[in-house]
Amino acid sequence: MMAAEEIAQTDRDGESPAGPQRRCLASGAVRPRETLLRFVVGPDQSVVPDIANRLPGRGLWLTPDRRMVEKAVARKLFARGARQAVTVPEDLADRVEGLLRQSCLRLLGLARRAGETAAGYDKVHGLLKKGEAALLLQASDGSRAPRIRLATLGVGQTPGLEVIELFTANELGEALGQSPRVHVAVLPGGLAERLRREAARLKAYNADESRPQRGQASV
């Protein structure tokens, strides 16, 4: 258990002796910094999501959970954490989700430009069969049977293979600069690991949300 003075340090964006941990404004839980969502107060006193943890200013931290963001907005927790009056967008929870999605798709695009992706059923099947994929992304609106076949093959060849089904075929295709894609594999490397972490935050953010699919693709 962290001592009281160690927890206090995390609220000032200091490094606690236990490592870089921060306190969630809404739940009070202290967690590793990289698992949380960071917000800052901009020059116009508005609360801004800092998905990449790069913006200047004192960080305000929340568990990556839509309910925590909505709670922070409803209970004016950002003003309390910042110790000043702030402006909070009413659609902040939706903005956060959009930025998390953009972060994942940007990383996928970088992986494509680095030559670290394969798209399309046959190419992905080949990589999975050889056990060479680090991640398998499949469109949430793609046909179910092919998705199951590839996921089963991938996990069979590479136990623990991460299968991500958070994006539509249009989103995957746009990230790759191609037509809609249902099946995408990412090769091992730093970009794959960063994409894995960002996808985990996005999945956790909407863990309790029931969202209808946006149609069915047959790519």
Side-chain angles (χ1 to χ4, degrees):
M1 181 177 295
M2 297 177 68
E5 60 271 19
E6 294 176 8
I7 294 177
Q9 282 183 306
T10 67
D11 290 338
R12 296 193 299 269
D13 275 4
E15 297 302 323
S16 94
Q21 301 192 18
R22 301 291 182 264
R23 183 198 297 274
C24 171
L25 283 176
S27 69
V30 176
R31 298 179 52 181
R33 181 177 61 185
E34 64 271 15
T35 67
L36 297 172
L37 295 171
R38 184 175 187 262
F39 300 79
V40 297
V41 179
D44 61 353
Q45 310 308 310
S46 63
V47 172
V48 180
D50 180 22
I51 301 302
N53 297 342
R54 293 177 181 172
L55 295 177
R58 179 175 180 271
L60 304 168
W61 302 84
L62 286 174
T63 301
D65 184 325
R66 173 178 285 270
R67 296 170 304 172
M68 294 295 102
V69 177
E70 292 172 345
K71 178 179 178 181
V73 173
R75 299 190 180 182
K76 305 185 186 306
L77 299 182
F78 288 110
R80 185 182 306 173
R83 299 172 186 170
Q84 66 179 84
V86 299
T87 301
V88 183
E90 293 184 2
D91 63 345
L92 183 62
D94 290 333
R95 293 190 189 189
V96 170
E97 179 182 353
L99 289 171
L100 287 172
R101 299 182 76 83
Q102 289 176 22
S103 179
C104 291
L105 295 169
R106 181 185 64 83
L107 288 169
L108 180 59
L110 290 175
R112 194 274 301 171
R113 288 192 285 278
E116 297 176 2
T117 64
Y121 186 92
D122 292 339
K123 291 182 179 179
V124 171
H125 184 279
L127 278 180
L128 294 175
K129 190 172 183 180
K130 292 185 288 186
E132 296 180 354
L135 298 175
L136 171 61
L137 286 81
Q138 303 205 96
S140 57
D141 55 350
S143 298
R144 188 167 182 268
R147 288 160 53 193
I148 292 176
R149 285 197 296 271
L150 285 184
T152 300
L153 171 64
V155 173
Q157 294 296 109
T158 308
L161 175 73
E162 191 83 18
V163 181
I164 299 170
E165 298 188 334
L166 301 173
F167 308 101
T168 66
N170 281 333
E171 287 176 317
L172 293 177
E174 288 177 6
L176 297 171
Q178 301 174 8
S179 58
R181 296 294 178 186
V182 170
H183 315 289
V184 181
V186 183
L187 297 174
L191 288 170
E193 288 306 308
R194 289 168 61 190
L195 177 53
R196 186 198 308 274
R197 290 195 297 269
E198 285 302 282
R201 287 204 300 176
L202 175 59
K203 183 177 180 180
Y205 188 77
N206 283 323
D208 294 317
E209 292 289 310
S210 297
R211 295 183 177 278
Q213 294 187 347
R214 307 178 194 179
Q216 187 166 38
S218 56
V219 179

CSV table of all heavy atoms in Angstrom, one decimal, residues 107-119 123 127 132 175-176 178 184-189 191-192:
chain,number,residue,atom,x,y,z
A,107,LEU,N,-1.8,4.8,-35.4
A,107,LEU,CA,-0.7,3.8,-35.2
A,107,LEU,C,-0.8,2.7,-36.2
A,107,LEU,O,0.3,2.3,-36.7
A,107,LEU,CB,-0.8,3.2,-33.8
A,107,LEU,CG,-0.4,4.1,-32.6
A,107,LEU,CD1,-0.7,3.5,-31.3
A,107,LEU,CD2,1.1,4.4,-32.7
A,108,LEU,N,-2.0,2.3,-36.6
A,108,LEU,CA,-2.1,1.3,-37.7
A,108,LEU,C,-1.6,1.9,-39.0
A,108,LEU,O,-0.9,1.1,-39.7
A,108,LEU,CB,-3.6,0.9,-37.8
A,108,LEU,CG,-3.9,-0.2,-38.9
A,108,LEU,CD1,-3.1,-1.4,-38.6
A,108,LEU,CD2,-5.4,-0.4,-38.9
A,109,GLY,N,-1.9,3.1,-39.2
A,109,GLY,CA,-1.4,3.7,-40.5
A,109,GLY,C,0.1,3.8,-40.5
A,109,GLY,O,0.8,3.6,-41.5
A,110,LEU,N,0.7,4.1,-39.3
A,110,LEU,CA,2.2,4.1,-39.2
A,110,LEU,C,2.8,2.8,-39.5
A,110,LEU,O,3.8,2.6,-40.1
A,110,LEU,CB,2.6,4.7,-37.8
A,110,LEU,CG,2.4,6.1,-37.5
A,110,LEU,CD1,2.7,6.5,-36.1
A,110,LEU,CD2,3.2,7.0,-38.5
A,111,ALA,N,2.1,1.7,-38.9
A,111,ALA,CA,2.6,0.4,-39.1
A,111,ALA,C,2.5,0.0,-40.6
A,111,ALA,O,3.4,-0.7,-41.2
A,111,ALA,CB,1.8,-0.6,-38.3
A,112,ARG,N,1.5,0.4,-41.3
A,112,ARG,CA,1.4,0.2,-42.7
A,112,ARG,C,2.5,0.8,-43.5
A,112,ARG,O,3.1,0.2,-44.4
A,112,ARG,CB,0.0,0.7,-43.2
A,112,ARG,CG,-0.4,0.1,-44.6
A,112,ARG,CD,0.2,1.0,-45.8
A,112,ARG,NE,-0.3,2.4,-45.7
A,112,ARG,CZ,0.2,3.3,-46.4
A,112,ARG,NH1,1.1,3.1,-47.3
A,112,ARG,NH2,-0.3,4.6,-46.3
A,113,ARG,N,2.8,2.1,-43.2
A,113,ARG,CA,3.9,2.8,-43.9
A,113,ARG,C,5.2,2.2,-43.6
A,113,ARG,O,6.2,2.3,-44.4
A,113,ARG,CB,3.8,4.3,-43.5
A,113,ARG,CG,2.6,5.0,-44.1
A,113,ARG,CD,2.8,6.5,-44.0
A,113,ARG,NE,2.5,7.0,-42.7
A,113,ARG,CZ,1.3,7.2,-42.2
A,113,ARG,NH1,0.2,7.0,-42.9
A,113,ARG,NH2,1.1,7.7,-40.9
A,114,ALA,N,5.4,1.6,-42.4
A,114,ALA,CA,6.6,0.9,-42.1
A,114,ALA,C,6.7,-0.5,-42.7
A,114,ALA,O,7.7,-1.2,-42.4
A,114,ALA,CB,6.8,0.8,-40.6
A,115,GLY,N,5.7,-0.9,-43.4
A,115,GLY,CA,5.7,-2.2,-44.0
A,115,GLY,C,5.4,-3.4,-43.0
A,115,GLY,O,5.9,-4.5,-43.2
A,116,GLU,N,4.7,-3.0,-41.9
A,116,GLU,CA,4.5,-4.0,-40.9
A,116,GLU,C,3.1,-4.5,-40.8
A,116,GLU,O,2.6,-4.9,-39.7
A,116,GLU,CB,5.0,-3.4,-39.5
A,116,GLU,CG,6.4,-3.1,-39.5
A,116,GLU,CD,6.9,-2.4,-38.2
A,116,GLU,OE1,6.0,-2.2,-37.3
A,116,GLU,OE2,8.1,-2.0,-38.1
A,117,THR,N,2.3,-4.4,-41.9
A,117,THR,CA,0.9,-4.9,-41.9
A,117,THR,C,0.7,-5.7,-43.1
A,117,THR,O,1.4,-5.6,-44.1
A,117,THR,CB,-0.1,-3.7,-41.9
A,117,THR,OG1,0.0,-3.0,-43.1
A,117,THR,CG2,0.1,-2.8,-40.7
A,118,ALA,N,-0.4,-6.5,-43.0
A,118,ALA,CA,-0.9,-7.3,-44.1
A,118,ALA,C,-2.4,-7.2,-44.1
A,118,ALA,O,-3.0,-7.2,-43.0
A,118,ALA,CB,-0.4,-8.7,-44.1
A,119,ALA,N,-3.1,-7.0,-45.2
A,119,ALA,CA,-4.5,-6.9,-45.2
A,119,ALA,C,-5.1,-7.8,-46.2
A,119,ALA,O,-4.5,-8.1,-47.3
A,119,ALA,CB,-4.9,-5.4,-45.5
A,123,LYS,N,-3.8,-12.9,-47.4
A,123,LYS,CA,-2.5,-12.5,-46.8
A,123,LYS,C,-2.4,-12.6,-45.3
A,123,LYS,O,-1.4,-13.1,-44.8
A,123,LYS,CB,-2.2,-11.0,-47.2
A,123,LYS,CG,-2.0,-10.8,-48.7
A,123,LYS,CD,-1.7,-9.3,-49.0
A,123,LYS,CE,-1.4,-9.1,-50.5
A,123,LYS,NZ,-1.1,-7.7,-50.8
A,127,LEU,N,0.1,-15.1,-42.9
A,127,LEU,CA,0.9,-14.7,-41.7
A,127,LEU,C,0.6,-15.5,-40.5
A,127,LEU,O,1.4,-15.9,-39.7
A,127,LEU,CB,0.8,-13.2,-41.5
A,127,LEU,CG,1.6,-12.2,-42.4
A,127,LEU,CD1,1.3,-10.8,-42.0
A,127,LEU,CD2,3.1,-12.5,-42.2
A,132,GLU,N,3.5,-15.5,-37.5
A,132,GLU,CA,4.3,-14.3,-37.7
A,132,GLU,C,3.6,-13.0,-37.3
A,132,GLU,O,4.1,-11.9,-37.4
A,132,GLU,CB,4.8,-14.1,-39.1
A,132,GLU,CG,5.8,-15.3,-39.5
A,132,GLU,CD,6.3,-15.1,-40.9
A,132,GLU,OE1,5.9,-14.2,-41.6
A,132,GLU,OE2,7.2,-15.9,-41.3
A,175,ALA,N,-7.5,3.8,-42.5
A,175,ALA,CA,-6.2,3.9,-41.8
A,175,ALA,C,-5.1,3.4,-42.6
A,175,ALA,O,-3.9,3.9,-42.5
A,175,ALA,CB,-6.3,3.1,-40.5
A,176,LEU,N,-5.4,2.4,-43.5
A,176,LEU,CA,-4.4,1.8,-44.3
A,176,LEU,C,-4.2,2.5,-45.7
A,176,LEU,O,-3.4,2.1,-46.5
A,176,LEU,CB,-4.7,0.3,-44.6
A,176,LEU,CG,-4.7,-0.6,-43.3
A,176,LEU,CD1,-5.3,-2.0,-43.7
A,176,LEU,CD2,-3.3,-0.7,-42.7
A,178,GLN,N,-6.6,2.3,-48.0
A,178,GLN,CA,-7.1,1.3,-48.9
A,178,GLN,C,-8.6,1.3,-48.9
A,178,GLN,O,-9.2,2.1,-48.2
A,178,GLN,CB,-6.6,-0.1,-48.6
A,178,GLN,CG,-5.0,-0.2,-48.6
A,178,GLN,CD,-4.5,-1.5,-48.1
A,178,GLN,OE1,-5.3,-2.4,-47.9
A,178,GLN,NE2,-3.2,-1.6,-47.9
A,184,VAL,N,-6.8,-7.5,-40.9
A,184,VAL,CA,-5.5,-6.9,-40.9
A,184,VAL,C,-4.6,-7.5,-39.9
A,184,VAL,O,-5.1,-7.7,-38.7
A,184,VAL,CB,-5.6,-5.4,-40.6
A,184,VAL,CG1,-4.3,-4.7,-40.7
A,184,VAL,CG2,-6.6,-4.7,-41.6
A,185,ALA,N,-3.4,-7.9,-40.3
A,185,ALA,CA,-2.4,-8.4,-39.3
A,185,ALA,C,-1.3,-7.4,-39.2
A,185,ALA,O,-0.9,-6.7,-40.1
A,185,ALA,CB,-1.9,-9.7,-39.8
A,186,VAL,N,-0.8,-7.3,-38.0
A,186,VAL,CA,0.3,-6.4,-37.7
A,186,VAL,C,1.5,-7.2,-37.2
A,186,VAL,O,1.4,-8.1,-36.3
A,186,VAL,CB,0.0,-5.3,-36.6
A,186,VAL,CG1,1.1,-4.4,-36.4
A,186,VAL,CG2,-1.3,-4.6,-37.0
A,187,LEU,N,2.7,-7.0,-37.8
A,187,LEU,CA,3.9,-7.7,-37.4
A,187,LEU,C,4.4,-7.3,-36.1
A,187,LEU,O,4.2,-6.1,-35.7
A,187,LEU,CB,5.0,-7.5,-38.5
A,187,LEU,CG,4.6,-8.1,-39.9
A,187,LEU,CD1,5.7,-7.7,-40.9
A,187,LEU,CD2,4.4,-9.6,-39.9
A,188,PRO,N,5.2,-8.1,-35.4
A,188,PRO,CA,5.8,-7.7,-34.1
A,188,PRO,C,6.7,-6.5,-34.3
A,188,PRO,O,7.3,-6.2,-35.3
A,188,PRO,CB,6.6,-9.0,-33.8
A,188,PRO,CG,6.0,-10.1,-34.5
A,188,PRO,CD,5.6,-9.5,-35.8
A,189,GLY,N,6.7,-5.7,-33.2
A,189,GLY,CA,7.6,-4.5,-33.2
A,189,GLY,C,7.0,-3.5,-32.2
A,189,GLY,O,5.9,-3.7,-31.6
A,191,LEU,N,5.6,-0.6,-32.9
A,191,LEU,CA,4.2,0.0,-33.3
A,191,LEU,C,3.1,-1.0,-32.9
A,191,LEU,O,2.1,-0.6,-32.4
A,191,LEU,CB,4.2,0.2,-34.8
A,191,LEU,CG,5.0,1.4,-35.2
A,191,LEU,CD1,5.1,1.5,-36.7
A,191,LEU,CD2,4.4,2.7,-34.7
A,192,ALA,N,3.4,-2.3,-33.0
A,192,ALA,CA,2.4,-3.3,-32.6
A,192,ALA,C,2.1,-3.2,-31.1
A,192,ALA,O,1.0,-3.3,-30.6
A,192,ALA,CB,2.8,-4.7,-33.0
